[in-house]
Amino acid sequence: MSTAKIRKSLLGIQEADAERGNRVLNVIVSSKFVPITSLIGDEFLSAWWQVVLCHYTLWKHDVHHRDVSPSNITTCWSNGRWIGVLNDYDLSSIPCDGLSGHERIGTVPFMAIDLLEEDALEGKVTRLYRHDAESLVWVLVWVLVWVCLRYQEGKLLSSGRLLDAWLKVDANGCREKKSSFMRKFRYGDADLEQLSPSHQSNWKIAVTCLRTIFYAPQSYSQDDRSVFQTWLLANVQSSLRT
């Protein structure tokens, strides 16, 4: 089970039976999860931010998710609020895995632009926290734009759906489209009037995060904590409702 990586690295739980190769039937019972795309407004932002915090905590303890995407983020109702859940650790890594950190893995439309460059595609770029942090921002952008702008008067549009092209191109094509999208919003052109009122404030946060990433130093000198604080925390914290 992929979650064994978390139990071993973060919780220090050793599973002797697993090492001996024994098979034990397990039945997992959990809360009912729903897609994060079903939430709006403050509830959506809060659930997404909980995933950001979860991901950062795991990364600090050497559990690297490496495949952040909307399909891997769900929510559940608990104690009177929606809780964000980061799941699917099949592509995650921990130090004892023996992985180099250069593997070409992830869901292309949500991967950091750096990881879609030729050097990264050839396995020459080490995966860092900043790459997953950027993926979290692309998830924020995707949910706000893709969900809101796929429909008109309650009906699914047959064409002209913004961001759909990201799903239909290869890594190089996706890099070009995402880079173009980011350049569009780096200055003042940040409004998308088609967005529902409940998502407008979150969209401003998404654009601010994109601008921060766009103007971030191109070198990899920023440590993980600095990336978390400047790319995410500083742009989101004031908008969170407790």
Side-chain angles (χ1 to χ4, degrees):
M1 296 176 63
S2 58
T3 50
K5 297 177 181 178
I6 297 177
R7 294 195 294 272
K8 184 175 182 180
S9 179
L10 185 59
L11 303 179
I13 299 175
Q14 302 295 324
E15 299 182 338
D17 286 344
E19 294 178 0
R20 290 196 299 267
N22 292 341
R23 293 182 177 272
V24 178
L25 176 63
N26 292 286
V27 178
I28 300 176
V29 180
S30 68
S31 302
K32 181 180 179 180
F33 295 144
V34 299
I36 194 172
T37 53
S38 64
L39 303 184
I40 60 175
D42 294 340
E43 290 182 334
F44 164 76
L45 183 65
S46 175
W48 173 81
W49 182 247
Q50 290 164 35
V51 169
V52 171
L53 295 178
C54 171
H55 176 276
Y56 181 56
T57 299
L58 291 174
W59 193 280
K60 289 193 299 182
H61 288 83
D62 294 324
V63 179
H64 299 171
H65 190 278
R66 307 194 304 173
D67 187 24
V68 176
S69 69
S71 62
N72 291 338
I73 299 177
T74 57
T75 64
C76 67
W77 183 256
S78 178
N79 296 322
R81 64 183 298 194
W82 288 104
I83 303 298
V85 179
L86 178 64
N87 55 35
D88 194 350
Y89 291 81
D90 291 346
L91 299 181
S92 64
S93 68
I94 57 177
C96 64
D97 282 342
L99 300 176
S100 67
H102 295 77
E103 294 78 19
R104 292 175 51 190
I105 57 176
T107 305
V108 170
F110 310 101
M111 291 172 65
I113 291 177
D114 282 353
L115 295 181
L116 301 178
E117 298 284 355
E118 290 298 332
D119 284 350
L121 296 177
E122 294 174 1
K124 300 177 181 178
V125 174
T126 301
R127 199 183 196 102
L128 304 174
Y129 172 73
R130 62 184 288 153
H131 296 133
D132 269 23
E134 184 177 330
S135 290
L136 287 163
V137 174
W138 285 120
V139 167
L140 180 61
V141 169
W142 178 270
V143 173
L144 296 176
V145 176
W146 188 78
V147 172
C148 288
L149 303 187
R150 283 173 61 84
Y151 296 87
Q152 187 174 46
E153 297 180 353
K155 297 181 179 180
L156 182 66
L157 295 172
S158 59
S159 62
R161 298 181 300 207
L162 191 61
L163 307 190
D164 269 17
W166 295 10
L167 302 173
K168 303 174 182 178
V169 293
D170 60 11
N172 289 318
C174 193
R175 181 190 71 241
E176 295 173 358
K177 291 185 178 300
K178 291 173 69 175
S179 296
S180 175
F181 184 88
M182 184 179 284
R183 287 193 296 270
K184 178 180 179 181
F185 297 107
R186 62 177 168 170
Y187 297 123
D189 186 15
D191 294 332
L192 280 180
E193 296 180 356
Q194 306 97 311
L195 287 177
S196 64
S198 61
H199 274 320
Q200 283 289 354
S201 60
N202 292 338
W203 173 245
K204 293 178 180 178
I205 294 172
V207 170
T208 302
C209 290
L210 284 179
R211 287 173 178 163
T212 302
I213 295 172
F214 186 89
Y215 288 109
Q218 293 301 307
S219 68
Y220 287 5
S221 58
Q222 282 186 292
D223 58 60
D224 297 346
R225 186 168 182 267
S226 295
V227 170
F228 170 74
Q229 290 181 333
T230 57
W231 290 23
L232 299 167
L233 183 63
N235 294 326
V236 180
Q237 191 173 37
S238 63
S239 300
L240 293 171
R241 303 288 191 271
T242 56

